[in-house]
């Protein structure tokens, strides 16, 4: 079965666009002032995941490329939770960079020592579903709400934290997901890649939800697995992204990483160099997702809404 | 639409992995050596021109339309020419490798078997050939037959039965570890989830899993990802330095005859070996790692 299949798509007309935001040109926008006069907010997003050896198959996306058990695919990812995590956490801690964890919450049950270390380091935990092999494609609304409740309860039980952020597992959101996130009181979503700044998300209830930048550009998986980058090439790309966004100001740099990729012994030095550079700059706000969302909602959301309502004047 | 309610049930969720093969806890660094442990593996594998293209796509398998002389002869070059460059580079430095040998190699290339045996390299089994992948679509009895046939052919050629196993393309069926233990193997090198050996449970007792190179193999970096030789060597050096600092861990250096054994990579390979030797690594075999 193909990785991306149209099988299992909803009956009836398909959405031609997400419909959650209006066009907003990158000029004339209200100025975002980050805390402390910083020009850029930087947040590092470790994706701490578990991929099941024998997952049930979702009608819209196939399973592992090989017959079960796909030892190669499974054990490659399992390296992150066995060997890569501590390397990654050590480097982040050395530079005083907190993580905002995109968490498959089954990890709370399977590897409580990993979650304990995240909590010791003051990291935020947000939702990346239960397993990275359980997609949201085709879930009805009650199923999506049940998933959200499971994630919220599991994160609270493991860390005492409130669930504020959402990245659908494997970016597998369905048509109604953003509406439900808003109704469930989620603060921020990462399912959309349409901007370098936080943006309001329009949903059917009108309840507030914002999008903050995630990234598949700086993300280690597309770079190392799909684009075959070396560690040095990745570091150069991330720092170029950082310097450009910093020069533009009022922006967000998101650095999504995966312990099974960045935690490999030939790559961890690149993360060390990237974080050393970023953490040494004076005009950087090293933040978590929750902090970025809160700051934007409290200080800038109303003026962005007003600017968009006024037709985005230059 | 809606999903089957079982899609939101998680029967394996709990304080354990979602299978019973091994514990999720990381093994502690080995006290048997300090600094870097180095395990050199040279695959001596045969890729038949008529090998099946599914259900497991084997890295390095035939990619172009049949009859692909391109794919076949490029890989066969390794067993004719490339491996002799690797032998020379290792001989000159007093190094020995573990050869991961297809069961069909003794029948095809007895001269090569004699040259491997003369160097007293360790031999591990690498399946019958690269067209005979292990996977759960194959009946268990047939898989057992493949494993035994491979073991017996290598035992006859080298005088002793191999204790180690590396499956073609790292592909196992659900019962491969059981069948390997039943056939007398004490270690395999297929699961790539650690850079230390760890114990697996099977229905015939324990089986160790050793860290075979995959992401940092020459086949992956140079052939699949098309990185330059210099980029590959630089990443190996970075990994070696890191693992040395972590103390008691293993770098598995895979030197694939049809990849690293190409003439234009010879000087780089020698330079890489020299750079690794400067780290004064503990030189390991599969048997030492599995102990």
């Amino acid at each position: 079965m193909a990785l991306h299949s149209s099988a299992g798509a909803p009956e009836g007309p398909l959405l031609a666009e997400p419909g959650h935001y209006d066009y907003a040109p990158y000029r004339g926008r209200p100025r975002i002032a980050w805390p402390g006069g910083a020009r850029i907010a930087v947040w590092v997003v470790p994706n701490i995941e578990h991929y099941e050896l024998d997952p049930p198959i979702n009608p819209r996306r196939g399973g592992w490329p090989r017959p079960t058990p796909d030892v190669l695919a499974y054990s490659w990812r399992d390296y992150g939770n066995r060997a890569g995590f501590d390397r990654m956490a050590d480097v982040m801690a050395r530079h005083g960079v907190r993580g905002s964890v995109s968490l498959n919450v089954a990890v709370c049950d399977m590897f409580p020592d990993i979650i304990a270390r995240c909590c010791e380091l003051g990291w935020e935990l947000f939702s990346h579903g239960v397993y990275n092999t359980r997609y949201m494609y085709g879930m009805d609304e009650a199923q999506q709400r049940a998933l959200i409740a499971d994630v919220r309860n599991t994160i609270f039980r493991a860390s005492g934290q409130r669930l504020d952020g959402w990245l659908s597992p494997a970016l597998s959101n369905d048509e109604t997901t953003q509406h439900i996130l808003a109704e469930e009181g989620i603060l921020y979503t990462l399912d959309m890649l349409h901007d370098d700044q936080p943006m309001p998300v329009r949903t059917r209830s009108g309840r507030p939800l914002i999008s903050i930048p995630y990234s598949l550009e700086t993300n280690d998986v597309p770079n190392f697995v799909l684009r075959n980058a070396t560690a040095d090439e990745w570091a150069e790309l991330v720092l170029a992204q950082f310097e450009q966004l910093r020069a533009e100001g009022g922006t967000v740099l998101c650095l999504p990483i995966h312990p099974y990729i960045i935690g490999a012994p030939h790559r961890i030095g690149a993360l060390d160099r990237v974080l050393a550079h970023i953490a040494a700059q004076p005009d950087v706000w090293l933040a978590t997702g929750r902090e970025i969302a809160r700051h934007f909602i409290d200080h800038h959301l109303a003026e962005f809404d007003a600017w968009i309502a006024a037709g985005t004047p230059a | 639409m809606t999903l089957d309610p079982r899609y939101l049930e998680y029967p394996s969720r709990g304080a354990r992995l979602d299978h019973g093969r091994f514990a999720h806890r990381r093994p502690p660094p080995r006290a048997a050596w300090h600094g870097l442990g180095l395990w050199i593996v040279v695959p001596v594998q045969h890729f038949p021109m008529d090998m099946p293209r599914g259900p497991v796509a084997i890295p390095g398998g035939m990619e172009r339309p049949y009859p692909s002389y391109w794919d076949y002869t490029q890989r066969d070059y390794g067993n004719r020419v490339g491996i002799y460059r690797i032998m020379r580079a290792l001989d000159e430095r007093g190094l020995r490798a573990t050869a991961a040998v297809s069961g069909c190699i003794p029948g095809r290339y007895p001269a090569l078997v004699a040259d491997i045996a003369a160097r007293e390299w360790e031999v591990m089994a690498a399946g019958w050939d690269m067209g005979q992948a292990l996977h759960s679509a194959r009946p268990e009895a047939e898989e057992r037959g493949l494993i035994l046939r491979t073991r017996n052919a290598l035992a006859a050629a080298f005088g002793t039965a191999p204790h180690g196993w590396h499956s073609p393309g790292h592909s196992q069926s659900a019962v491969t570890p059981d069948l390997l233990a039943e056939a007398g193997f004490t270690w395999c090198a297929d699961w790539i989830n650690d850079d230390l050996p760890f114990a697996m449970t099977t229905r015939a007792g324990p089986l160790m899993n050793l860290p075979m190179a995959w992401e940092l193999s020459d086949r992956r970096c140079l052939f699949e990802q098309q990185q330059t030789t210099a980029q590959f060597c630089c990443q190996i050096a970075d990994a070696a330095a890191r693992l040395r600092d972590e103390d008691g861990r293993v770098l598995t250096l895979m030197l694939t005859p049809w990849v690293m054994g190409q003439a234009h990579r010879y000087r780089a390979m020698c330079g890489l070996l020299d750079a690794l030797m400067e780290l004064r690594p503990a030189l390991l075999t599969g048997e030492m790692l599995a102990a």
Side-chain angles (χ1 to χ4, degrees):
Chain A
M1 190 180 199
L3 181 65
H4 302 287
S5 162
S6 59
E11 292 161 19
L14 304 181
L15 294 180
E17 59 177 306
H20 293 301
Y21 53 84
D22 295 310
Y23 179 69
Y26 194 38
R27 56 99 182 98
R29 293 180 174 184
R31 200 178 69 81
I32 294 178
W34 296 124
R39 293 189 59 78
I40 183 170
V42 174
W43 71 308
V44 176
V45 179
N47 282 266
I48 300 182
E49 302 171 328
H50 181 74
Y51 296 74
E52 297 161 281
L53 189 62
D54 190 11
I57 299 304
N58 184 289
R60 222 179 293 172
R61 178 172 168 176
W64 294 118
R66 294 176 171 184
T68 302
D70 189 334
V71 165
L72 189 64
Y74 177 92
S75 62
W76 187 17
R77 288 156 183 81
D78 190 43
Y79 182 90
N81 292 330
R82 292 175 68 91
F85 171 77
D86 279 321
R87 268 191 205 120
M88 179 189 76
D90 289 346
V91 166
M92 291 172 65
R94 186 181 317 139
H95 298 295
V97 176
R98 291 167 299 155
S100 303
V101 178
S102 168
L103 181 66
N104 290 158
V105 297
V107 171
C108 298
D109 306 308
M110 301 177 76
F111 312 114
D113 48 339
I114 288 180
I115 300 303
R117 180 141 198 233
C118 293
C119 292
E120 281 167 26
L121 291 169
W123 292 7
E124 176 184 343
L125 308 180
F126 69 82
S127 173
H128 199 30
V130 173
Y131 294 112
N132 230 40
T133 35
R134 304 282 180 125
Y135 312 121
M136 295 180 74
Y137 302 126
M139 285 187 185
D140 64 31
E141 295 201 11
Q143 289 175 324
Q144 294 186 63
R145 288 183 201 282
L147 172 63
I148 292 168
D150 181 345
V151 170
R152 178 188 287 126
N153 293 339
T154 307
I155 285 181
F156 183 77
R157 172 168 49 76
S159 68
Q161 293 186 38
R162 208 187 107 94
L163 172 63
D164 285 331
W166 193 274
L167 176 65
S168 296
L171 285 82
S172 65
N173 64 280
D174 213 335
E175 292 171 341
T176 56
T177 303
Q178 310 309 312
H179 302 296
I180 295 167
L181 295 178
E183 290 155 20
E184 292 288 327
I186 304 292
L187 277 189
Y188 67 94
T189 176
L190 306 176
D191 284 336
M192 295 180 287
L193 306 165
H194 59 311
D195 221 286
D196 284 324
Q197 294 183 305
M199 279 285 150
V201 176
R202 187 170 60 223
T203 64
R204 64 193 179 193
S205 66
R207 297 194 55 162
L209 176 69
I210 65 159
S211 167
I212 63 180
Y214 187 65
S215 181
L216 297 178
E217 297 297 319
T218 56
N219 196 311
D220 56 352
V221 168
N223 279 289
F224 291 116
V225 181
L226 306 179
R227 297 177 204 138
N228 301 325
T230 63
D232 290 341
E233 289 170 337
W234 174 78
E236 191 182 342
L237 180 152
V238 172
L239 291 177
Q241 178 95 345
F242 169 74
E243 292 300 348
Q244 182 61 31
L245 291 173
R246 178 163 72 141
E248 291 171 4
T251 45
V252 177
L253 173 78
C254 182
L255 187 57
I257 51 180
H258 297 68
Y260 77 99
I261 297 293
I262 205 65
H266 60 297
R267 299 195 182 110
I268 193 67
L271 180 67
D272 199 14
R273 292 197 298 281
V274 163
L275 295 186
H277 177 85
I278 290 174
Q281 308 309 311
D283 46 5
V284 174
W285 182 35
L286 290 170
T288 64
R290 180 185 288 133
E291 290 166 354
I292 294 170
R294 262 283 148 235
H295 182 87
F296 181 79
I297 291 167
D298 292 347
H299 300 282
H300 299 293
L301 178 57
E303 45 181 340
F304 267 75
D305 279 336
W307 176 71
I308 291 167
T312 67
Chain B
M1 66 181 293
T2 185
L3 289 181
D4 185 319
R6 284 171 297 182
Y7 197 80
L8 280 88
E9 292 169 7
Y10 316 105
S12 297
R13 188 168 165 185
R16 60 186 185 87
L17 282 170
D18 51 335
H19 57 80
R21 281 291 177 208
F22 47 81
H24 73 259
R25 291 223 173 263
R26 206 178 173 204
R30 286 293 184 91
W33 64 86
H34 286 292
L36 178 68
L38 179 64
W39 184 34
I40 302 174
V41 175
V42 177
V44 182
Q45 297 163 331
H46 178 65
F47 292 79
M49 196 161 68
D50 61 347
M51 64 187 281
R53 298 177 186 223
V56 177
I58 295 296
M62 300 296 113
E63 293 181 347
R64 288 158 194 82
Y66 174 86
S68 178
Y69 283 29
W70 174 331
D71 291 314
Y72 178 88
T73 58
Q74 187 185 46
R75 282 137 197 75
D76 210 29
Y77 171 95
N79 290 334
R80 298 166 60 88
V81 180
I83 188 162
Y84 285 93
R85 286 199 188 100
I86 292 171
M87 285 176 170
R88 179 178 155 198
L90 295 177
D91 288 350
E92 286 176 357
R93 289 160 182 80
L95 298 170
R96 280 189 293 192
T98 298
V101 185
S102 297
C104 71
I105 288 287
R108 296 180 57 87
Y109 308 136
L112 175 53
V113 165
D115 292 331
I116 291 170
R119 283 167 174 77
E120 298 184 340
W121 285 9
E122 182 179 54
V123 172
M124 67 189 293
W128 180 254
D129 64 34
M130 297 303 277
Q132 300 285 354
L134 309 185
H135 53 74
S136 290
R138 186 193 290 284
E140 182 174 332
E142 191 179 308
E143 182 180 354
R144 180 184 294 107
L146 272 173
I147 290 171
L148 293 175
R149 184 179 175 206
T150 302
R151 185 200 65 181
N152 294 343
L154 294 174
F158 290 96
T160 115
H163 295 162
W165 177 276
H166 173 52
S167 299
H170 298 250
S171 181
Q172 293 190 346
S173 78
V175 295
T176 301
D178 303 307
L179 296 176
L180 290 175
E182 286 165 4
F185 289 94
T186 54
W187 50 278
C188 70
D190 289 338
W191 298 65
I192 56 169
N193 47 345
D194 214 319
D195 33 39
L196 283 171
F198 62 88
M200 304 176 73
T201 55
T202 78
R203 63 194 183 200
L207 182 77
M208 295 297 288
N209 184 79
L210 272 49
M212 180 60 84
W214 185 68
E215 270 227 278
L216 210 43
S217 65
D218 54 351
R219 187 178 305 186
R220 172 81 179 152
C221 292
L222 297 172
F223 178 71
E224 290 189 351
Q225 300 197 295
Q226 314 230 341
Q227 295 176 355
T228 66
T229 309
Q231 288 173 327
F232 170 66
C233 293
C234 177
Q235 292 181 104
I236 292 278
D238 287 347
R242 169 65 59 161
L243 292 166
R244 176 203 54 191
D245 293 348
E246 292 181 5
D247 207 28
R249 299 194 194 278
V250 188
L251 174 73
T252 305
L253 178 67
M254 183 183 282
L255 300 173
T256 302
W258 57 273
V259 181
M260 209 56 184
Q262 297 289 342
H264 61 90
R265 296 197 173 106
Y266 186 73
R267 286 185 62 185
M269 175 170 63
C270 291
L272 176 60
L273 290 169
D274 290 338
L276 291 174
M277 287 309 108
E278 282 176 19
L279 300 176
R280 307 176 66 84
L283 300 172
L284 303 173
T285 63
E287 285 298 285
M288 292 163 73
L289 282 165

